[in-house]
Amino acid sequence: MKALSIKDIALKAKVSITTVSFIINGKAKEKSISDAVIKKVQKIIAESGYKPNQIARSLRTGNSNIIGLIVEDISNSFFSRIARLIEDKAYKKGYKIIYSSTENSVEKAQELITMFKSRKVDAYIISPIKGIEEDIQILLNENKPVILFDRNLPELNTNYVGANHFVASHQAIESFIKQGKKNIALVTTDINVQQIIERAEGYKKALADHAIPFDEELLLKIPFNQAEADTIKQIKQLFKNKKVDAVLFATNYLAISGLKVLKELHQTIDENFAVIGYDDHEAFELHTPSISTIQQPLEEIAETIIKLILNQLASKNKLPDQQIIIPAKLILRK
Amino acid sequence: MKALSIKDIALKAKVSITTVSFIINGKAKEKSISDAVIKKVQKIIAESGYKPNQIARSLRTGNSNIIGLIVEDISNSFFSRIARLIEDKAYKKGYKIIYSSTENSVEKAQELITMFKSRKVDAYIISPIKGIEEDIQILLNENKPVILFDRNLPELNTNYVGANHFVASHQAIESFIKQGKKNIALVTTDINVQQIIERAEGYKKALADHAIPFDEELLLKIPFNQAEADTIKQIKQLFKNKKVDAVLFATNYLAISGLKVLKELHQTIDENFAVIGYDDHEAFELHTPSISTIQQPLEEIAETIIKLILNQLASKNKLPDQQIIIPAKLILRK
DNA sequence: CTGAAAGCGCTTACAG
DNA sequence: CTGAAAGCGCTTACAG
């Protein structure tokens, strides 16, 4: 059973495919097609269930009404929630989103960009990774709208939407210090991206501001992409070897692993031992006691990204790049 | 800056586009192109960074090497984890996945199918919803491989991969009964899909098997898509109005809401009050005490789905439909 | 061993 | 008010 084409509709309606095309694309009035013809063709389209072949349309027009979204890992709730919000908002504006995960592999990220490019997506939303600057630059040279989010690549001139991680992390550490904590650990990842580096810098600056010496052993960098069992082992080592009275986890999944360790060690979280997570997670609020966290305003981030994209797509000229920093919020719970 | 086309490569190499096409598609040997020409063309392709336009290729060949994945809600960790696993496995076989959420809307599901169809995806993986039987039947008529998962639509003849929810739910309730529980509640959703209905039937059957009268007020059906605050209110009502000593939550997000209620009510989970969740969630293990749950083997489900799809795609003839039921496991924690 | 040409299903500048 | 025709970038049956 072959799908109908515009030719079939034209034949049935006894008009040219040009006329059918104009009607499908809402240009009937503009091209002064008679009302009678419009009615007739529309009826035939409705009855036959004809849907234009978007592939052919894309080949001809060079665009697709599809926005490509590249995230680090769709199974991380930060990304899956953002993806869902972006999808919702784009959908309402007539755009579809296709997404895929890089899993922090430069190679996979490059392949995804190639795939999206060869599929003629109209715009790109990317949580980037170091090493794909050139690939993104090529997109920019081709005048494709690109919005980076979550992480920035400062050497590129393009749009970026992200949270202020330096400030957020600084604030979290200060809240520990105000509680009188002295042995404050940071558990973070070893990936070398700005938004992760900022969290470490906020940590160090807050310590310095309050004349607390920085102890390298309290800053634990967990290799990305390793099995959780190894992560748990490393965090356990930290808590066993060092006297720690407060810990900031730089990502939600590290916090989850860390909480498992604390549970295993029977280390309760109380006035003698404080924990702050990152990016929130359903488990944080539910935990006994509830876990404080640094929350990125997902709704606002998604909204800002979509607004930037739509503006770019609507405008013929390249708009000035925007770097939008949205404050992250420290949510204190107990 | 315009992208290169096969024509540009042919010009540079001083051969026909036919020859270039054969080389790109690995048919050079078969078409007995001379080694010298192959080398020359490959060199030019590599140097120029030429990538074939997949849109044009799809238009010509009618396929795309893309598999469409339609889930209920990508921000639900059950779906985002499955999506990630499927993406991984498909990627290794040279297929890309594009996904989108239906949000349980028949209309959106239909639009997504239309979109995927007009993009010529090669196969469909769908967690379906009642009301789209006809749309899926059309895909089947067009000989497109379709794998349903999570939920089945029994009136359709196609492939299905899912867990045995009746057995799992029955087993969960029996474990309550063995602990001496008498007032066992089920908190489920009102969506009318088989895999949810099965969970209620397993519940009822287990009660009947042990001569425990079924009390309608202990079976709470929460409207889908309502705000979480309302869900929390309804669950709170249940626990306040009825004497409950055990509760099975039929989905992970209902369990999360339920656990929030219990926390608010200061109802601890112990030998006098038992809880089992569904589909697991990072919060379950971390909870104090850890929450038992019915776990669907995600890895196995994803693996089975991909295997079915690849078999279908590899075979010219339609393969017999398979209904694969994978046992869900009751994970008892404390 | 290689190429000219048709055709996939659209859109749109041009002509009448 | 409407249509014939070119062209988007490929693949492939056919010819030599």
Side-chain angles (χ1 to χ4, degrees):
Chain A
M1 212 173 84
K2 201 124 165 24
L4 291 169
S5 80
I6 194 169
K7 211 163 142 190
D8 300 314
I9 304 298
L11 270 171
K12 279 192 204 181
K14 298 194 206 308
V15 296
S16 74
I17 60 171
T18 307
T19 304
V20 177
S21 175
F22 286 154
I23 293 171
I24 291 169
N25 292 298
K27 295 191 180 169
K29 289 286 170 208
E30 175 187 331
K31 300 288 179 180
S32 40
I33 311 278
S34 67
D35 279 351
V37 171
I38 298 179
K39 282 257 157 55
K40 180 173 64 176
V41 172
Q42 279 174 338
K43 186 150 171 274
I44 291 174
I45 290 176
E47 281 169 359
S48 63
Y50 165 71
K51 298 282 177 205
N53 180 326
Q54 297 298 333
I55 297 274
R57 183 178 271 177
S58 287
L59 178 61
R60 183 53 226 248
T61 63
N63 53 41
S64 59
N65 280 315
I66 293 184
I67 296 169
L69 171 59
I70 297 180
V71 300
E72 175 189 309
D73 174 7
I74 195 64
S75 69
N76 177 321
S77 71
F78 171 73
F79 289 112
S80 68
R81 287 190 210 172
I82 284 270
R84 167 69 187 268
L85 288 168
I86 289 178
E87 188 180 344
D88 275 8
K89 290 173 200 302
Y91 189 78
K92 283 178 191 142
K93 304 290 185 177
Y95 283 91
K96 311 284 191 278
I97 300 284
I98 61 183
Y99 24 115
S100 246
S101 315
T102 65
E103 300 163 42
N104 262 309
S105 144
V106 171
E107 200 185 316
K108 187 160 182 215
Q110 288 170 330
E111 282 188 51
L112 289 177
I113 290 177
T114 303
M115 158 175 128
F116 283 175
K117 198 153 82 177
S118 68
R119 304 283 163 199
K120 304 296 171 196
V121 305
D122 293 348
Y124 297 79
I125 303 171
I126 306 179
S127 83
I129 164 179
K130 253 195 161 32
I132 59 167
E133 291 84 351
E134 248 184 78
D135 306 80
I136 294 180
Q137 188 57 54
I138 293 172
L139 300 178
L140 294 172
N141 292 345
E142 289 170 356
N143 263 317
K144 291 291 174 199
V146 175
I147 315 281
L148 305 182
F149 80 105
D150 186 41
R151 309 160 177 195
N152 202 0
L153 294 175
E155 47 270 62
L156 290 174
N157 289 318
T158 185
N159 300 281
Y160 169 70
V161 178
N164 195 330
H165 300 286
F166 176 84
V167 170
S169 152
H170 188 274
Q171 201 183 343
I173 302 302
E174 279 205 321
S175 88
F176 284 148
I177 295 171
K178 274 187 207 132
Q179 293 166 50
K181 300 291 179 278
K182 299 285 181 211
N183 304 294
I184 302 171
L186 172 68
V187 176
T188 183
T189 95
D190 68 342
I191 48 178
N192 199 21
V193 296
Q194 211 206 348
Q195 116 274 26
I196 290 294
I197 296 168
E198 277 183 20
R199 298 177 200 192
E201 281 172 357
Y203 164 80
K204 289 182 193 168
K205 183 67 164 47
L207 293 181
D209 287 352
H210 295 267
I212 298 182
F214 167 59
D215 177 352
E216 221 167 287
E217 289 178 49
L218 287 175
L219 199 168
L220 178 58
K221 288 193 180 181
I222 304 281
F224 189 83
N225 251 342
Q226 79 177 4
E228 197 193 3
D230 295 327
T231 302
I232 285 183
K233 212 176 292 171
Q234 285 182 275
I235 298 176
K236 206 180 288 180
Q237 283 306 319
L238 169 69
F239 291 149
K240 279 187 168 167
N241 295 343
K242 301 291 292 185
K243 206 181 131 240
V244 173
D245 56 11
V247 53
L248 170 64
F249 293 99
T251 76
N252 55 7
Y253 60 87
L254 288 174
I256 296 291
S257 300
L259 290 172
K260 287 181 189 168
V261 170
L262 294 176
K263 187 167 185 179
E264 239 182 89
L265 298 178
H266 299 101
Q267 169 63 263
T268 55
I269 297 167
D270 52 25
E271 56 285 359
N272 299 316
F273 193 95
V275 169
I276 296 180
Y278 220 106
D279 279 350
D280 217 354
H281 191 287
E282 274 153 334
F284 291 172
E285 195 189 334
L286 221 47
H287 194 273
T288 305
S290 290
I291 302 298
S292 299
T293 193
I294 292 169
Q295 228 176 38
Q296 299 191 52
L298 300 182
E299 183 80 34
E300 203 179 334
I301 291 174
E303 188 69 60
T304 308
I305 291 172
I306 284 296
K307 213 173 283 169
L308 283 176
I309 288 267
L310 294 177
N311 283 346
Q312 300 261 350
L313 288 172
S315 135
K316 274 290 113 193
N317 311 314
K318 172 115 179 69
L319 299 177
D321 294 324
Q322 295 193 49
Q323 312 272 321
I324 301 181
I325 307 295
I326 296 173
K329 267 187 304 226
L330 177 61
I331 308 287
L332 291 174
R333 297 188 177 117
K334 54 184 165 187
Chain B
M1 212 172 83
K2 201 122 163 25
L4 292 170
S5 79
I6 194 169
K7 210 163 141 190
D8 300 315
I9 304 298
L11 270 172
K12 277 192 205 180
K14 297 197 206 315
V15 297
S16 74
I17 60 171
T18 307
T19 303
V20 178
S21 174
F22 286 153
I23 294 172
I24 291 169
N25 293 298
K27 296 191 180 170
K29 289 286 170 210
E30 174 189 333
K31 300 289 178 180
S32 40
I33 311 276
S34 67
D35 278 353
V37 171
I38 297 179
K39 282 258 157 54
K40 179 173 65 175
V41 172
Q42 279 173 340
K43 183 149 173 277
I44 292 175
I45 290 176
E47 282 170 358
S48 63
Y50 164 70
K51 299 282 177 206
N53 180 326
Q54 298 298 334
I55 296 276
R57 183 177 270 178
S58 287
L59 179 60
R60 184 52 227 248
T61 63
N63 52 41
S64 59
N65 281 315
I66 292 183
I67 296 169
L69 171 58
I70 298 180
V71 299
E72 176 190 309
D73 174 7
I74 196 65
S75 70
N76 178 322
S77 71
F78 171 72
F79 289 111
S80 68
R81 286 191 211 171
I82 283 271
R84 166 71 187 268
L85 289 168
I86 289 178
E87 188 180 345
D88 275 7
K89 291 174 200 300
Y91 189 78
K92 283 178 190 141
K93 303 292 184 176
Y95 283 91
K96 311 284 192 276
I97 299 283
I98 62 182
Y99 23 114
S100 247
S101 315
T102 64
E103 301 163 42
N104 261 309
S105 143
V106 171
E107 201 185 314
K108 188 161 182 214
Q110 289 170 331
E111 281 188 52
L112 289 177
I113 290 177
T114 302
M115 158 175 129
F116 283 175
K117 197 153 84 179
S118 68
R119 303 284 162 198
K120 305 294 173 200
V121 304
D122 293 348
Y124 298 78
I125 303 171
I126 306 178
S127 83
I129 165 178
K130 253 196 161 31
I132 59 166
E133 291 84 351
E134 248 183 78
D135 306 80
I136 294 180
Q137 188 57 55
I138 292 172
L139 299 178
L140 295 172
N141 292 344
E142 290 169 358
N143 263 317
K144 291 290 174 198
V146 175
I147 315 281
L148 304 182
F149 79 105
D150 186 40
R151 310 161 176 194
N152 202 358
L153 293 174
E155 47 271 62
L156 291 174
N157 290 318
T158 186
N159 299 280
Y160 168 69
V161 178
N164 194 331
H165 300 286
F166 176 85
V167 170
S169 152
H170 187 276
Q171 201 184 344
I173 302 301
E174 278 204 323
S175 88
F176 284 149
I177 294 172
K178 274 188 206 133
Q179 292 167 50
K181 300 290 181 276
K182 300 286 181 208
N183 304 294
I184 302 170
L186 172 68
V187 177
T188 182
T189 95
D190 68 342
I191 46 177
N192 199 21
V193 296
Q194 212 207 347
Q195 116 274 26
I196 291 294
I197 295 169
E198 278 183 19
R199 298 176 200 193
E201 282 172 357
Y203 164 79
K204 289 182 192 168
K205 183 66 163 49
L207 294 182
D209 286 351
H210 295 267
I212 298 182
F214 168 58
D215 176 351
E216 220 167 288
E217 289 178 49
L218 287 175
L219 199 170
L220 179 59
K221 288 192 179 181
I222 304 282
F224 188 84
N225 251 342
Q226 79 178 3
E228 197 193 3
D230 295 325
T231 301
I232 286 182
K233 212 176 292 171
Q234 286 180 275
I235 298 176
K236 206 181 287 177
Q237 283 308 317
L238 169 69
F239 290 148
K240 280 188 168 167
N241 295 342
K242 302 289 295 184
K243 207 180 130 238
V244 173
D245 56 11
V247 53
L248 171 64
F249 293 99
T251 76
N252 55 6
Y253 60 88
L254 288 174
I256 297 290
S257 301
L259 291 171
K260 288 181 188 168
V261 170
L262 294 175
K263 186 167 187 181
E264 238 182 88
L265 296 178
H266 300 100
Q267 169 62 265
T268 55
I269 296 168
D270 52 25
E271 56 285 0
N272 299 314
F273 193 95
V275 170
I276 296 180
Y278 220 107
D279 278 349
D280 217 353
H281 190 286
E282 274 153 335
F284 291 172
E285 193 188 336
L286 221 46
H287 194 271
T288 307
S290 289
I291 302 298
S292 298
T293 194
I294 292 169
Q295 229 176 37
Q296 299 192 51
L298 300 182
E299 183 81 34
E300 203 179 335
I301 291 175
E303 189 68 60
T304 309
I305 290 172
I306 284 297
K307 212 172 284 169
L308 282 176
I309 288 267
L310 294 177
N311 283 346
Q312 300 262 348
L313 287 172
S315 136
K316 275 289 114 195
N317 311 314
K318 171 116 179 69
L319 299 177
D321 293 325
Q322 296 194 49
Q323 312 273 319
I324 301 182
I325 306 296
I326 296 174
K329 265 187 305 227
L330 177 60
I331 307 288
L332 290 175
R333 297 187 176 118
K334 55 184 166 185

